[in-house]
Amino acid sequence: MRKLEYLAPQTLGEALETLAKQSEGAKIIAGGTDLIPRMRSGIVHPTLIVDLRKLSLNRIEFKDGWIRIGATVTHTDILESDLLASHCPAMVEAAKEIAGPPIRNRGTIGGNLVNASPAADLAVPLLAYDAFVVLAKASAEREVPLMEFFTGPGQTVLTPDEILTEIRIPVVPPRTISKFIKLGKRKAMAIAVTSVATRLTLDEVGNISLARIALGSVAPRPMRSIMAEAILENMTPAIELFAKSARVASMESSPISDIRASGDYRKQMVAVLTRRSLFDAWQQLEKRDR
Ligand SMILES: Cc1cc2nc3c(=O)[nH]c(=O)nc-3n(C[C@H](O)[C@H](O)[C@H](O)COP(=O)(O)OP(=O)(O)OC[C@H]3O[C@@H](n4cnc5c(N)ncnc54)[C@H](O)[C@@H]3O)c2cc1C
């Protein structure tokens, strides 16, 4: 029988020292909702499990101009956060769409990002909010834009001796609205067929000063649709403009066909959901300004 050691460090320093000495064969566990099924199916065979749950990485706070979300914050914590509801509502909308209550109570934001599924629900709004991830190892810490974190399906720039400790979101400017929409094969317990998060900021005359469009499940990694964003910036919001941007987002996506949907269908859904999401965001801003 394979030997499996389990450690639950009390401090981040202890966890990082452990990984510095013994990163080979080590796996971090947070909620375990991804790792345990993978171990059971024989996809991964760790010899050491380092549990993060005793570390104080479970805060959501506003500090030094950033919204900071600890890596072990669960999907339920996000759903219940007033800070995120007022500053980053698309995060709350995405957390609401993840699995069902048991998985939401255990699954963490750090695990969702490190797992690096192209369909990871929280990655999509976080890209729209220009988030950064903090990666720590015993000797150093680095801050990486989320855009540069994912390198492919299940792949990230995280090294085996690093822990993702925190997600940082720059403060969202006034007159900003964001929206997340997920299309699954059913209303709950469904991995995204396509997901979209959009963020619009209007300037004092009502033109779009900043636009973000992020997509899930339609490329090897969660992605931003940079060309579609550029179409919107410095323009006056209008339905035709949103439709044009949505068509470009669809062109920029490169979905595969799999058991959940064909690539063609996903491309069409990128256009539909992007247009809908931009329109909803704009309507909400207009209502707020009235
Ligand atoms: C039934 C079911 C339904 C699901 N539905 C959805 C869904 O709708 N949407 C969705 O996006 N996901 C879904 N998931 C996937 C999963 O629940 C989430 O991705 C969850 O957020 C993973 O977090 P975790 O804490 O459980 O990760 P874990 O399983 O603990 O870890 C996942 C991976 O990340 C690594 N890791 C975890 N935390 C860190 C860290 N801080 N630093 C470095 N490495 C770390 C682990 O070593 C492991 O490789 C579902 C899973 C199940 C089983």
Side-chain angles (χ1 to χ4, degrees):
M1 215 166 97
R2 238 181 263 270
K3 194 173 153 231
L4 176 62
E5 257 186 284
Y6 170 85
L7 278 181
Q10 303 286 331
T11 65
L12 179 61
E14 200 188 320
L16 294 172
E17 281 303 328
T18 303
L19 290 177
K21 283 190 212 129
Q22 201 187 334
S23 65
E24 206 184 310
K27 269 279 175 200
I28 289 162
I29 194 165
T33 62
D34 273 316
L35 184 64
I36 300 292
R38 277 166 190 271
M39 287 172 65
R40 286 206 178 123
S41 355
I43 299 167
V44 287
H45 311 278
T47 50
L48 167 66
I49 290 207
V50 180
D51 193 333
L52 300 186
R53 277 171 303 176
K54 291 199 174 146
L55 312 183
S56 305
L57 298 175
N58 56 354
R59 276 196 284 269
I60 304 175
E61 60 187 351
F62 184 78
K63 201 172 151 198
D64 304 330
W66 297 86
I67 292 163
R68 294 163 182 248
I69 309 174
T72 60
V73 160
T74 65
H75 307 311
T76 300
D77 295 332
I78 292 172
L79 264 176
E80 293 173 352
S81 163
D82 292 337
L83 182 67
L84 293 178
S86 62
H87 290 268
C88 310
M91 287 286 297
V92 178
E93 288 167 349
K96 215 180 278 175
E97 297 278 350
I98 293 177
I103 297 285
R104 290 202 289 264
N105 289 342
R106 279 201 76 83
T108 64
I109 186 168
N112 195 251
L113 297 181
V114 175
N115 191 40
S117 160
D121 282 325
L122 294 180
V124 180
L126 284 170
L127 282 172
Y129 289 123
D130 294 335
F132 290 75
V133 286
V134 179
L135 310 180
K137 62 178 171 184
S139 53
E141 185 180 276
R142 57 187 175 133
E143 200 183 68
V144 177
L146 189 60
M147 274 264 276
E148 294 166 20
F149 180 65
F150 303 111
T151 52
Q155 305 292 320
T156 71
V157 299
L158 189 85
T159 57
D161 57 349
E162 283 181 320
I163 293 178
L164 190 163
T165 55
E166 189 175 87
I167 293 91
R168 291 184 185 158
I169 302 176
V171 166
V172 176
R175 298 198 79 200
T176 294
I177 200 88
S178 51
K179 178 89 195 149
F180 173 82
I181 304 180
K182 171 176 171 177
L183 175 70
K185 292 203 85 167
R186 49 180 185 252
K187 292 263 178 214
M189 298 299 288
I191 301 298
V193 165
T194 303
S195 61
V196 174
T198 56
R199 173 161 78 109
L200 290 179
T201 301
L202 299 190
D203 63 19
E204 59 290 346
V205 292
N207 289 337
I208 299 168
S209 55
L210 183 141
R212 291 286 179 269
I213 298 173
L215 307 172
S217 253
V218 292
R221 52 191 167 169
M223 62 172 277
R224 256 181 61 200
S225 190
I226 306 280
M227 288 194 289
E229 291 170 359
I231 285 177
L232 298 169
E233 282 180 351
N234 303 315
M235 301 297 283
T236 306
I239 295 172
E240 308 75 50
L241 180 73
F242 296 151
K244 186 174 169 196
S245 168
R247 281 196 299 274
V248 172
S250 170
M251 271 167 43
E252 279 185 282
S253 67
S254 53
I256 53 163
S257 299
D258 64 13
I259 46 159
R260 288 195 292 281
S262 70
D264 278 352
Y265 178 71
R266 284 188 157 107
K267 261 188 175 293
Q268 285 180 41
M269 288 306 104
V270 169
V272 171
L273 299 185
T274 303
R275 192 181 58 226
R276 191 177 297 165
S277 174
L278 288 168
F279 184 72
D280 280 3
W282 178 46
Q283 293 284 291
Q284 280 184 52
L285 260 180
E286 293 252 292
K287 222 182 270 170
R288 204 203 271 173
D289 283 356
R290 247 179 249 147

